[in-house]
Amino acid sequence: MFVRTQRLTLRPGWTEDAPELARAIGHEEVVRNLARAPWPYTIEAAETFASSFEEAAEPKFLIFEHQGSTLRLIGAISVGPFEDEPHELGYWLTPDAWGRGYATEAGAAVLRAARSAESAASPRGISSTIRLRDACCASWASAPPVV
């Protein structure tokens, strides 16, 4: 599944993304706020992460910023179980993408996509509150329903 917003494209990762992925996430200030990322972040870690999209059962995307006619990988976002939460929205952005509203834009888009997919598969739909882990500043909040 691909998701497009005004400024972003969200799509699954491919093994060919590993070098750009390693550059985007390879900042200590990003990795220190992630629960499952190694430090230092190696090309092998990027290859493993990129290949994990093949078996993803939950919504999981790389985030690309539109730069004219090209795309630049700036982060990743997913909805899935984490610890005792059945649906957690987790994301990270490369530092030079912080403060531009990309997390909000990508988060709203992925929640709409997740709810749409969940509604099609189940009449219950996705939980109305998803815990939001902000990898940029390590704060917690609740994401309101997106309609």
Side-chain angles (χ1 to χ4, degrees):
M1 173 189 312
F2 284 61
V3 178
R4 172 101 188 225
T5 71
Q6 183 176 355
R7 303 180 300 160
L8 304 172
T9 294
L10 284 59
R11 69 158 172 81
W14 303 320
T15 54
E16 297 86 357
D17 295 317
E20 192 176 0
L21 175 61
R23 281 189 297 278
I25 195 174
H27 302 271
E28 187 176 6
E29 61 267 37
V30 173
V31 174
R32 73 172 170 231
N33 293 314
L34 300 175
R36 297 179 282 231
W39 184 254
Y41 200 88
T42 63
I43 189 69
E44 292 80 16
E47 289 167 346
T48 299
F49 182 70
S51 69
S52 73
F53 286 80
E54 295 171 8
E55 69 238 15
E58 304 282 344
K60 184 176 181 179
F61 304 95
L62 292 180
I63 304 170
F64 292 85
E65 171 189 43
H66 302 163
Q67 293 187 328
S69 62
T70 63
L71 298 176
R72 179 179 76 108
L73 196 157
I74 60 168
I77 190 164
S78 65
V79 176
F82 182 72
E83 294 179 353
D84 61 345
E85 296 295 330
H87 294 86
E88 179 175 89
L89 175 68
Y91 73 94
W92 61 265
L93 293 172
T94 198
D96 69 358
W98 295 358
R100 297 182 183 178
Y102 289 148
T104 301
E105 189 174 330
V110 79
L111 289 176
R112 277 192 301 273
R115 285 193 176 103
S116 175
E118 185 81 5
S119 293
S122 165
R124 284 189 42 171
I126 199 166
S127 167
S128 63
T129 301
I130 296 177
R131 297 214 46 185
L132 172 63
R133 175 82 165 110
D134 184 338
C136 297
C137 61
S139 65
W140 287 92
S142 289
V146 176
V147 284

